[in-house]
Amino acid sequence: MQPVRLQDAHSLPVWRRPVTLLFLMAIAMPLSFATWSALLNNFVIEAAQFDGSDIGWLHTVREIPGFFAIGVILIIVFVREQVLAMISLALLGVATAITAWFPSMGGLLFVTLLSSIGFHYYETVNQSLQLQWLSKERAPQVLGLLLAAGSAATLVAYVAIVMTWKAFELSYNFVYLASGGMTLLIVLYCVLAFPQFESPNPQLKKFILRRRYWLYYALQFMSGARRQIFIVFAAFMMVEQFGFDVHEITSLYLINLVANIAIAPVLGRVVHRFGERNALVFEYTGLVCVFLAYGGLYWFGWGVVLAAVLYVLDHMFFALALALKTYFQKIADPGDIAPTAAVAFTINHIAAVFLPAALGYLWLASPGAVFGLAAGMAATSLVLALMIPRHPEPGNETIFSQLVAAPAE
């Protein structure tokens, strides 16, 4: 099939346009990944008797493919980004479907590695396609809607788990097979229904590390380090410390999803109205407070209600991370988007490779110290966000750009 130029895609019916494909992919990914995450902590504790150290090692293995996301640059020399997105989503769906077949440390590490390859390679090319296919004017609002769409799809899956887990005595195997299978069905539809889209700006298919993107790289590094602590230990705390069952932890996820569905589109408009700098400063300030309060749950024995509230607030603040995408879109050369997305994903996962395992041991000694460290990371991100100019663009990437004119790269 002849590729369709992006500027000609408006002549296609709505159900075959690029933005529709972005929405379907936004729905397909969390059906597998979010369901896997919701059941994971209970599954590994019940089936494989994991402790804090074991879960740290599992997430370290899960992040290894993210560290090697730079390999996408080599793959897109031979495979279109759109095709790679479909292959990656399919791998994620298959790996999720078979997760319960491997109820051991070694088996879970293996299947987690497979699903992680699919997830991280999909996320890398998906970010690239979003920034190529969306205009700078529409990007914040549409990214907010895409986040809401993914949350809505996950909401349907979580409602099903909460309503049927105990009523029908569902097994981990059934839920994992169902969620992975739905992802595979959406991928099949996307492959058959959509043409290949040709972006107007050919992407450089080589490793790129530009000095003028240094602030974006630094923010990505801190984001990856800070987010790992939340992903690995916040939900694990709810199960280990407060004894949450599957339907209870999933109910908490449901609250997050409803909040995201309602708030994410608003946050997209907020970023468009107030700018990336203000949005990120607000996010990181909030995260400092949230992580310090997490530490208080252990240091001062604060209760489960506060823990649940903090978990929801955490998710709401993280939704503002779309501002980091639009900041890069504004400062980047159009041909840099795909290779820099791969480089940024690798930078984002540098800390993720060693932090979960290392902090797993710290968790055994002092869980509160883990969240205190996360608060320090959020504070560092806040300092970096203050370096974003009010109107970022090529040549004005940081507040220092006008003071010291950097040579063009």
mmCIF file of all heavy atoms in Angstrom, residues 216-260:
data_model
loop_
_atom_site.group_PDB
_atom_site.id
_atom_site.type_symbol
_atom_site.label_atom_id
_atom_site.label_comp_id
_atom_site.label_asym_id
_atom_site.label_seq_id
_atom_site.Cartn_x
_atom_site.Cartn_y
_atom_site.Cartn_z
ATOM 1 N N TYR A 216 16.644 19.449 28.685
ATOM 2 C CA TYR A 216 15.662 18.395 28.429
ATOM 3 C C TYR A 216 16.201 17.045 28.877
ATOM 4 O O TYR A 216 15.495 16.259 29.519
ATOM 5 C CB TYR A 216 15.308 18.372 26.941
ATOM 6 C CG TYR A 216 14.407 17.244 26.528
ATOM 7 C CD1 TYR A 216 13.087 17.181 26.978
ATOM 8 C CD2 TYR A 216 14.873 16.228 25.692
ATOM 9 C CE1 TYR A 216 12.254 16.135 26.597
ATOM 10 C CE2 TYR A 216 14.045 15.182 25.308
ATOM 11 C CZ TYR A 216 12.737 15.147 25.764
ATOM 12 O OH TYR A 216 11.925 14.106 25.385
ATOM 13 N N TYR A 217 17.471 16.782 28.564
ATOM 14 C CA TYR A 217 18.083 15.519 29.003
ATOM 15 C C TYR A 217 18.106 15.420 30.537
ATOM 16 O O TYR A 217 17.815 14.360 31.110
ATOM 17 C CB TYR A 217 19.521 15.415 28.480
ATOM 18 C CG TYR A 217 19.679 15.401 26.980
ATOM 19 C CD1 TYR A 217 20.791 15.998 26.380
ATOM 20 C CD2 TYR A 217 18.746 14.794 26.158
ATOM 21 C CE1 TYR A 217 20.965 15.987 25.007
ATOM 22 C CE2 TYR A 217 18.909 14.783 24.779
ATOM 23 C CZ TYR A 217 20.017 15.384 24.201
ATOM 24 O OH TYR A 217 20.188 15.374 22.841
ATOM 25 N N ALA A 218 18.475 16.514 31.192
ATOM 26 C CA ALA A 218 18.562 16.502 32.663
ATOM 27 C C ALA A 218 17.195 16.268 33.291
ATOM 28 O O ALA A 218 17.056 15.503 34.258
ATOM 29 C CB ALA A 218 19.155 17.825 33.160
ATOM 30 N N LEU A 219 16.172 16.925 32.745
ATOM 31 C CA LEU A 219 14.818 16.725 33.264
ATOM 32 C C LEU A 219 14.346 15.292 33.047
ATOM 33 O O LEU A 219 13.657 14.711 33.896
ATOM 34 C CB LEU A 219 13.860 17.711 32.594
ATOM 35 C CG LEU A 219 13.968 19.163 33.073
ATOM 36 C CD1 LEU A 219 13.257 20.111 32.121
ATOM 37 C CD2 LEU A 219 13.389 19.302 34.489
ATOM 38 N N GLN A 220 14.720 14.706 31.904
ATOM 39 C CA GLN A 220 14.353 13.316 31.634
ATOM 40 C C GLN A 220 15.028 12.372 32.625
ATOM 41 O O GLN A 220 14.412 11.424 33.126
ATOM 42 C CB GLN A 220 14.734 12.933 30.198
ATOM 43 C CG GLN A 220 13.793 13.445 29.130
ATOM 44 C CD GLN A 220 12.483 12.670 29.080
ATOM 45 O OE1 GLN A 220 12.247 11.771 29.863
ATOM 46 N NE2 GLN A 220 11.635 13.023 28.140
ATOM 47 N N PHE A 221 16.297 12.621 32.916
ATOM 48 C CA PHE A 221 17.023 11.770 33.862
ATOM 49 C C PHE A 221 16.366 11.810 35.235
ATOM 50 O O PHE A 221 16.111 10.764 35.856
ATOM 51 C CB PHE A 221 18.478 12.217 33.962
ATOM 52 C CG PHE A 221 19.257 11.470 35.012
ATOM 53 C CD1 PHE A 221 19.762 10.206 34.746
ATOM 54 C CD2 PHE A 221 19.473 12.027 36.267
ATOM 55 C CE1 PHE A 221 20.470 9.505 35.724
ATOM 56 C CE2 PHE A 221 20.175 11.330 37.251
ATOM 57 C CZ PHE A 221 20.672 10.068 36.964
ATOM 58 N N MET A 222 16.082 13.006 35.729
ATOM 59 C CA MET A 222 15.485 13.130 37.053
ATOM 60 C C MET A 222 14.064 12.565 37.076
ATOM 61 O O MET A 222 13.642 11.955 38.062
ATOM 62 C CB MET A 222 15.466 14.596 37.494
ATOM 63 C CG MET A 222 16.842 15.206 37.719
ATOM 64 S SD MET A 222 17.900 14.222 38.812
ATOM 65 C CE MET A 222 16.865 14.075 40.268
ATOM 66 N N SER A 223 13.344 12.740 35.975
ATOM 67 C CA SER A 223 11.991 12.194 35.894
ATOM 68 C C SER A 223 12.006 10.673 36.011
ATOM 69 O O SER A 223 11.191 10.078 36.730
ATOM 70 C CB SER A 223 11.322 12.616 34.579
ATOM 71 O OG SER A 223 10.080 11.977 34.417
ATOM 72 N N GLY A 224 12.949 10.035 35.306
ATOM 73 C CA GLY A 224 13.045 8.581 35.358
ATOM 74 C C GLY A 224 13.418 8.077 36.736
ATOM 75 O O GLY A 224 12.844 7.097 37.229
ATOM 76 N N ALA A 225 14.355 8.748 37.393
ATOM 77 C CA ALA A 225 14.789 8.326 38.726
ATOM 78 C C ALA A 225 13.663 8.475 39.739
ATOM 79 O O ALA A 225 13.370 7.566 40.527
ATOM 80 C CB ALA A 225 16.001 9.149 39.160
ATOM 81 N N ARG A 226 12.996 9.613 39.694
ATOM 82 C CA ARG A 226 11.928 9.894 40.662
ATOM 83 C C ARG A 226 10.720 8.988 40.433
ATOM 84 O O ARG A 226 10.135 8.449 41.379
ATOM 85 C CB ARG A 226 11.516 11.367 40.508
ATOM 86 C CG ARG A 226 10.471 11.862 41.477
ATOM 87 C CD ARG A 226 10.034 13.263 41.085
ATOM 88 N NE ARG A 226 9.317 13.273 39.808
ATOM 89 C CZ ARG A 226 9.807 13.764 38.683
ATOM 90 N NH1 ARG A 226 11.022 14.274 38.647
ATOM 91 N NH2 ARG A 226 9.101 13.752 37.573
ATOM 92 N N ARG A 227 10.359 8.796 39.185
ATOM 93 C CA ARG A 227 9.170 8.011 38.872
ATOM 94 C C ARG A 227 9.340 6.547 39.254
ATOM 95 O O ARG A 227 8.381 5.868 39.627
ATOM 96 C CB ARG A 227 8.832 8.136 37.383
ATOM 97 C CG ARG A 227 7.463 7.567 37.039
ATOM 98 C CD ARG A 227 7.091 7.885 35.601
ATOM 99 N NE ARG A 227 5.774 7.397 35.280
ATOM 100 C CZ ARG A 227 4.645 8.041 35.507
ATOM 101 N NH1 ARG A 227 4.691 9.233 36.094
ATOM 102 N NH2 ARG A 227 3.468 7.534 35.174
ATOM 103 N N GLN A 228 10.571 6.040 39.170
ATOM 104 C CA GLN A 228 10.801 4.641 39.528
ATOM 105 C C GLN A 228 10.433 4.366 40.973
ATOM 106 O O GLN A 228 9.884 3.320 41.305
ATOM 107 C CB GLN A 228 12.268 4.269 39.286
ATOM 108 C CG GLN A 228 12.588 3.902 37.855
ATOM 109 C CD GLN A 228 11.607 2.901 37.298
ATOM 110 O OE1 GLN A 228 11.463 1.800 37.802
ATOM 111 N NE2 GLN A 228 10.929 3.283 36.229
ATOM 112 N N ILE A 229 10.747 5.304 41.843
ATOM 113 C CA ILE A 229 10.432 5.106 43.261
ATOM 114 C C ILE A 229 8.928 4.982 43.451
ATOM 115 O O ILE A 229 8.438 4.124 44.197
ATOM 116 C CB ILE A 229 11.017 6.251 44.102
ATOM 117 C CG1 ILE A 229 12.552 6.232 44.011
ATOM 118 C CG2 ILE A 229 10.543 6.148 45.549
ATOM 119 C CD1 ILE A 229 13.229 7.345 44.769
ATOM 120 N N PHE A 230 8.190 5.825 42.739
ATOM 121 C CA PHE A 230 6.735 5.752 42.854
ATOM 122 C C PHE A 230 6.202 4.448 42.266
ATOM 123 O O PHE A 230 5.393 3.745 42.897
ATOM 124 C CB PHE A 230 6.100 6.943 42.135
ATOM 125 C CG PHE A 230 4.605 6.823 42.007
ATOM 126 C CD1 PHE A 230 3.791 7.031 43.108
ATOM 127 C CD2 PHE A 230 4.025 6.483 40.802
ATOM 128 C CE1 PHE A 230 2.421 6.904 43.010
ATOM 129 C CE2 PHE A 230 2.649 6.355 40.694
ATOM 130 C CZ PHE A 230 1.844 6.567 41.799
ATOM 131 N N ILE A 231 6.633 4.103 41.049
ATOM 132 C CA ILE A 231 6.105 2.910 40.383
ATOM 133 C C ILE A 231 6.397 1.650 41.188
ATOM 134 O O ILE A 231 5.537 0.773 41.344
ATOM 135 C CB ILE A 231 6.698 2.789 38.958
ATOM 136 C CG1 ILE A 231 6.138 3.893 38.057
ATOM 137 C CG2 ILE A 231 6.410 1.419 38.356
ATOM 138 C CD1 ILE A 231 6.776 3.937 36.677
ATOM 139 N N VAL A 232 7.632 1.542 41.687
ATOM 140 C CA VAL A 232 8.044 0.314 42.356
ATOM 141 C C VAL A 232 7.480 0.214 43.759
ATOM 142 O O VAL A 232 6.960 -0.837 44.161
ATOM 143 C CB VAL A 232 9.588 0.221 42.396
ATOM 144 C CG1 VAL A 232 10.023 -1.030 43.163
ATOM 145 C CG2 VAL A 232 10.152 0.195 40.978
ATOM 146 N N PHE A 233 7.544 1.308 44.528
ATOM 147 C CA PHE A 233 7.318 1.170 45.963
ATOM 148 C C PHE A 233 5.994 1.720 46.485
ATOM 149 O O PHE A 233 5.552 1.306 47.557
ATOM 150 C CB PHE A 233 8.475 1.827 46.726
ATOM 151 C CG PHE A 233 9.789 1.151 46.485
ATOM 152 C CD1 PHE A 233 10.770 1.760 45.707
ATOM 153 C CD2 PHE A 233 10.051 -0.107 47.011
ATOM 154 C CE1 PHE A 233 11.985 1.142 45.484
ATOM 155 C CE2 PHE A 233 11.260 -0.737 46.783
ATOM 156 C CZ PHE A 233 12.234 -0.119 46.015
ATOM 157 N N ALA A 234 5.345 2.633 45.751
ATOM 158 C CA ALA A 234 4.100 3.205 46.290
ATOM 159 C C ALA A 234 3.001 2.151 46.386
ATOM 160 O O ALA A 234 2.363 1.987 47.436
ATOM 161 C CB ALA A 234 3.651 4.383 45.430
ATOM 162 N N ALA A 235 2.756 1.425 45.278
ATOM 163 C CA ALA A 235 1.721 0.388 45.307
ATOM 164 C C ALA A 235 2.146 -0.785 46.184
ATOM 165 O O ALA A 235 1.320 -1.394 46.877
ATOM 166 C CB ALA A 235 1.413 -0.084 43.888
ATOM 167 N N PHE A 236 3.448 -1.120 46.149
ATOM 168 C CA PHE A 236 3.944 -2.211 46.988
ATOM 169 C C PHE A 236 3.701 -1.896 48.456
ATOM 170 O O PHE A 236 3.358 -2.780 49.256
ATOM 171 C CB PHE A 236 5.436 -2.424 46.719
ATOM 172 C CG PHE A 236 5.991 -3.683 47.343
ATOM 173 C CD1 PHE A 236 5.758 -4.920 46.776
ATOM 174 C CD2 PHE A 236 6.750 -3.614 48.500
ATOM 175 C CE1 PHE A 236 6.271 -6.076 47.351
ATOM 176 C CE2 PHE A 236 7.269 -4.761 49.081
ATOM 177 C CZ PHE A 236 7.025 -5.998 48.507
ATOM 178 N N MET A 237 3.854 -0.619 48.823
ATOM 179 C CA MET A 237 3.587 -0.190 50.198
ATOM 180 C C MET A 237 2.134 -0.436 50.577
ATOM 181 O O MET A 237 1.838 -0.882 51.700
ATOM 182 C CB MET A 237 3.907 1.304 50.346
ATOM 183 C CG MET A 237 3.474 1.911 51.664
ATOM 184 S SD MET A 237 3.581 3.718 51.669
ATOM 185 C CE MET A 237 2.329 4.156 50.467
ATOM 186 N N MET A 238 1.212 -0.159 49.637
ATOM 187 C CA MET A 238 -0.202 -0.334 49.939
ATOM 188 C C MET A 238 -0.534 -1.786 50.251
ATOM 189 O O MET A 238 -1.397 -2.068 51.080
ATOM 190 C CB MET A 238 -1.055 0.159 48.765
ATOM 191 C CG MET A 238 -0.790 1.591 48.350
ATOM 192 S SD MET A 238 -1.001 2.810 49.669
ATOM 193 C CE MET A 238 -2.759 2.782 49.873
ATOM 194 N N VAL A 239 0.158 -2.718 49.581
ATOM 195 C CA VAL A 239 -0.085 -4.142 49.811
ATOM 196 C C VAL A 239 0.661 -4.625 51.050
ATOM 197 O O VAL A 239 0.093 -5.281 51.928
ATOM 198 C CB VAL A 239 0.326 -4.980 48.573
ATOM 199 C CG1 VAL A 239 0.152 -6.471 48.860
ATOM 200 C CG2 VAL A 239 -0.497 -4.572 47.358
ATOM 201 N N GLU A 240 1.964 -4.286 51.142
ATOM 202 C CA GLU A 240 2.798 -4.800 52.227
ATOM 203 C C GLU A 240 2.465 -4.153 53.567
ATOM 204 O O GLU A 240 2.322 -4.833 54.587
ATOM 205 C CB GLU A 240 4.273 -4.579 51.896
ATOM 206 C CG GLU A 240 5.222 -5.161 52.942
ATOM 207 C CD GLU A 240 6.672 -4.786 52.675
ATOM 208 O OE1 GLU A 240 6.977 -3.575 52.708
ATOM 209 O OE2 GLU A 240 7.473 -5.701 52.443
ATOM 210 N N GLN A 241 2.333 -2.821 53.582
ATOM 211 C CA GLN A 241 2.154 -2.096 54.838
ATOM 212 C C GLN A 241 0.699 -2.084 55.301
ATOM 213 O O GLN A 241 0.422 -2.209 56.499
ATOM 214 C CB GLN A 241 2.659 -0.652 54.669
ATOM 215 C CG GLN A 241 2.499 0.230 55.894
ATOM 216 C CD GLN A 241 3.505 -0.106 57.001
ATOM 217 O OE1 GLN A 241 4.387 -0.927 56.817
ATOM 218 N NE2 GLN A 241 3.337 0.519 58.163
ATOM 219 N N PHE A 242 -0.240 -1.938 54.344
ATOM 220 C CA PHE A 242 -1.636 -1.758 54.718
ATOM 221 C C PHE A 242 -2.525 -2.933 54.332
ATOM 222 O O PHE A 242 -3.736 -2.885 54.522
ATOM 223 C CB PHE A 242 -2.171 -0.460 54.109
ATOM 224 C CG PHE A 242 -1.453 0.770 54.599
ATOM 225 C CD1 PHE A 242 -0.577 1.451 53.762
ATOM 226 C CD2 PHE A 242 -1.628 1.236 55.893
ATOM 227 C CE1 PHE A 242 0.102 2.579 54.209
ATOM 228 C CE2 PHE A 242 -0.966 2.358 56.350
ATOM 229 C CZ PHE A 242 -0.093 3.035 55.515
ATOM 230 N N GLY A 243 -1.943 -3.985 53.723
ATOM 231 C CA GLY A 243 -2.684 -5.215 53.457
ATOM 232 C C GLY A 243 -3.770 -5.107 52.412
ATOM 233 O O GLY A 243 -4.768 -5.832 52.470
ATOM 234 N N PHE A 244 -3.611 -4.243 51.399
ATOM 235 C CA PHE A 244 -4.627 -4.099 50.364
ATOM 236 C C PHE A 244 -4.743 -5.399 49.558
ATOM 237 O O PHE A 244 -3.744 -5.992 49.156
ATOM 238 C CB PHE A 244 -4.266 -2.950 49.422
ATOM 239 C CG PHE A 244 -4.770 -1.610 49.885
ATOM 240 C CD1 PHE A 244 -4.659 -1.219 51.209
ATOM 241 C CD2 PHE A 244 -5.361 -0.723 49.001
ATOM 242 C CE1 PHE A 244 -5.118 0.008 51.650
ATOM 243 C CE2 PHE A 244 -5.821 0.510 49.419
ATOM 244 C CZ PHE A 244 -5.694 0.877 50.749
ATOM 245 N N ASP A 245 -5.994 -5.834 49.282
ATOM 246 C CA ASP A 245 -6.249 -6.983 48.425
ATOM 247 C C ASP A 245 -6.328 -6.503 46.977
ATOM 248 O O ASP A 245 -6.299 -5.293 46.702
ATOM 249 C CB ASP A 245 -7.553 -7.656 48.832
ATOM 250 C CG ASP A 245 -7.660 -9.088 48.330
ATOM 251 O OD1 ASP A 245 -6.743 -9.526 47.609
ATOM 252 O OD2 ASP A 245 -8.657 -9.752 48.654
ATOM 253 N N VAL A 246 -6.471 -7.467 46.024
ATOM 254 C CA VAL A 246 -6.498 -7.118 44.597
ATOM 255 C C VAL A 246 -7.599 -6.111 44.301
ATOM 256 O O VAL A 246 -7.370 -5.081 43.643
ATOM 257 C CB VAL A 246 -6.685 -8.388 43.731
ATOM 258 C CG1 VAL A 246 -7.033 -8.008 42.297
ATOM 259 C CG2 VAL A 246 -5.412 -9.220 43.729
ATOM 260 N N HIS A 247 -8.817 -6.381 44.764
ATOM 261 C CA HIS A 247 -9.929 -5.490 44.425
ATOM 262 C C HIS A 247 -9.781 -4.135 45.118
ATOM 263 O O HIS A 247 -10.268 -3.117 44.617
ATOM 264 C CB HIS A 247 -11.263 -6.135 44.794
ATOM 265 C CG HIS A 247 -11.481 -6.327 46.251
ATOM 266 N ND1 HIS A 247 -10.803 -7.275 46.990
ATOM 267 C CD2 HIS A 247 -12.304 -5.698 47.142
ATOM 268 C CE1 HIS A 247 -11.198 -7.229 48.241
ATOM 269 N NE2 HIS A 247 -12.101 -6.281 48.375
ATOM 270 N N GLU A 248 -9.075 -4.087 46.253
ATOM 271 C CA GLU A 248 -8.880 -2.815 46.949
ATOM 272 C C GLU A 248 -7.833 -1.950 46.261
ATOM 273 O O GLU A 248 -8.038 -0.742 46.068
ATOM 274 C CB GLU A 248 -8.461 -3.085 48.400
ATOM 275 C CG GLU A 248 -9.567 -3.721 49.240
ATOM 276 C CD GLU A 248 -9.082 -4.180 50.600
ATOM 277 O OE1 GLU A 248 -7.917 -4.625 50.699
ATOM 278 O OE2 GLU A 248 -9.861 -4.091 51.564
ATOM 279 N N ILE A 249 -6.704 -2.557 45.870
ATOM 280 C CA ILE A 249 -5.679 -1.777 45.173
ATOM 281 C C ILE A 249 -6.188 -1.341 43.806
ATOM 282 O O ILE A 249 -5.908 -0.237 43.338
ATOM 283 C CB ILE A 249 -4.351 -2.575 45.054
ATOM 284 C CG1 ILE A 249 -3.191 -1.647 44.679
ATOM 285 C CG2 ILE A 249 -4.457 -3.702 44.058
ATOM 286 C CD1 ILE A 249 -2.731 -0.741 45.773
ATOM 287 N N THR A 250 -7.007 -2.200 43.173
ATOM 288 C CA THR A 250 -7.579 -1.832 41.881
ATOM 289 C C THR A 250 -8.594 -0.709 42.047
ATOM 290 O O THR A 250 -8.701 0.172 41.179
ATOM 291 C CB THR A 250 -8.238 -3.055 41.218
ATOM 292 O OG1 THR A 250 -7.293 -4.123 41.142
ATOM 293 C CG2 THR A 250 -8.700 -2.715 39.802
ATOM 294 N N SER A 251 -9.329 -0.702 43.149
ATOM 295 C CA SER A 251 -10.263 0.401 43.418
ATOM 296 C C SER A 251 -9.517 1.722 43.535
ATOM 297 O O SER A 251 -9.991 2.770 43.067
ATOM 298 C CB SER A 251 -11.052 0.128 44.705
ATOM 299 O OG SER A 251 -11.838 -1.019 44.585
ATOM 300 N N LEU A 252 -8.345 1.691 44.141
ATOM 301 C CA LEU A 252 -7.527 2.894 44.258
ATOM 302 C C LEU A 252 -7.076 3.361 42.875
ATOM 303 O O LEU A 252 -7.088 4.564 42.572
ATOM 304 C CB LEU A 252 -6.316 2.612 45.147
ATOM 305 C CG LEU A 252 -5.444 3.804 45.548
ATOM 306 C CD1 LEU A 252 -6.272 4.867 46.255
ATOM 307 C CD2 LEU A 252 -4.297 3.341 46.429
ATOM 308 N N TYR A 253 -6.702 2.399 42.028
ATOM 309 C CA TYR A 253 -6.342 2.745 40.655
ATOM 310 C C TYR A 253 -7.534 3.372 39.925
ATOM 311 O O TYR A 253 -7.372 4.273 39.100
ATOM 312 C CB TYR A 253 -5.886 1.503 39.891
ATOM 313 C CG TYR A 253 -4.560 0.927 40.330
ATOM 314 C CD1 TYR A 253 -4.147 -0.328 39.890
ATOM 315 C CD2 TYR A 253 -3.706 1.613 41.188
ATOM 316 C CE1 TYR A 253 -2.933 -0.873 40.283
ATOM 317 C CE2 TYR A 253 -2.498 1.077 41.594
ATOM 318 C CZ TYR A 253 -2.114 -0.160 41.138
ATOM 319 O OH TYR A 253 -0.920 -0.705 41.525
ATOM 320 N N LEU A 254 -8.733 2.879 40.223
ATOM 321 C CA LEU A 254 -9.923 3.414 39.569
ATOM 322 C C LEU A 254 -10.115 4.890 39.893
ATOM 323 O O LEU A 254 -10.490 5.684 39.029
ATOM 324 C CB LEU A 254 -11.158 2.623 40.015
ATOM 325 C CG LEU A 254 -11.367 1.251 39.379
ATOM 326 C CD1 LEU A 254 -12.551 0.548 40.027
ATOM 327 C CD2 LEU A 254 -11.573 1.373 37.891
ATOM 328 N N ILE A 255 -9.872 5.235 41.144
ATOM 329 C CA ILE A 255 -9.985 6.653 41.522
ATOM 330 C C ILE A 255 -8.994 7.492 40.716
ATOM 331 O O ILE A 255 -9.325 8.576 40.218
ATOM 332 C CB ILE A 255 -9.742 6.823 43.034
ATOM 333 C CG1 ILE A 255 -10.807 6.076 43.832
ATOM 334 C CG2 ILE A 255 -9.713 8.299 43.420
ATOM 335 C CD1 ILE A 255 -10.545 6.029 45.329
ATOM 336 N N ASN A 256 -7.780 6.977 40.561
ATOM 337 C CA ASN A 256 -6.777 7.684 39.762
ATOM 338 C C ASN A 256 -7.246 7.869 38.329
ATOM 339 O O ASN A 256 -7.050 8.926 37.715
ATOM 340 C CB ASN A 256 -5.458 6.908 39.761
ATOM 341 C CG ASN A 256 -4.734 6.997 41.090
ATOM 342 O OD1 ASN A 256 -4.868 7.971 41.813
ATOM 343 N ND2 ASN A 256 -3.967 5.971 41.411
ATOM 344 N N LEU A 257 -7.848 6.828 37.780
ATOM 345 C CA LEU A 257 -8.286 6.890 36.385
ATOM 346 C C LEU A 257 -9.395 7.903 36.186
ATOM 347 O O LEU A 257 -9.383 8.682 35.231
ATOM 348 C CB LEU A 257 -8.749 5.499 35.937
ATOM 349 C CG LEU A 257 -7.636 4.475 35.768
ATOM 350 C CD1 LEU A 257 -8.206 3.081 35.578
ATOM 351 C CD2 LEU A 257 -6.750 4.829 34.587
ATOM 352 N N VAL A 258 -10.362 7.900 37.085
ATOM 353 C CA VAL A 258 -11.454 8.879 36.984
ATOM 354 C C VAL A 258 -10.892 10.296 37.061
ATOM 355 O O VAL A 258 -11.294 11.194 36.311
ATOM 356 C CB VAL A 258 -12.498 8.640 38.089
ATOM 357 C CG1 VAL A 258 -13.519 9.775 38.126
ATOM 358 C CG2 VAL A 258 -13.202 7.306 37.881
ATOM 359 N N ALA A 259 -9.939 10.491 37.971
ATOM 360 C CA ALA A 259 -9.305 11.811 38.086
ATOM 361 C C ALA A 259 -8.576 12.174 36.800
ATOM 362 O O ALA A 259 -8.663 13.319 36.326
ATOM 363 C CB ALA A 259 -8.338 11.821 39.268
ATOM 364 N N ASN A 260 -7.860 11.215 36.203
ATOM 365 C CA ASN A 260 -7.137 11.487 34.960
ATOM 366 C C ASN A 260 -8.083 11.810 33.818
ATOM 367 O O ASN A 260 -7.823 12.701 33.005
ATOM 368 C CB ASN A 260 -6.271 10.283 34.581
ATOM 369 C CG ASN A 260 -4.859 10.406 35.104
ATOM 370 O OD1 ASN A 260 -4.463 11.455 35.613
ATOM 371 N ND2 ASN A 260 -4.095 9.342 35.006
#
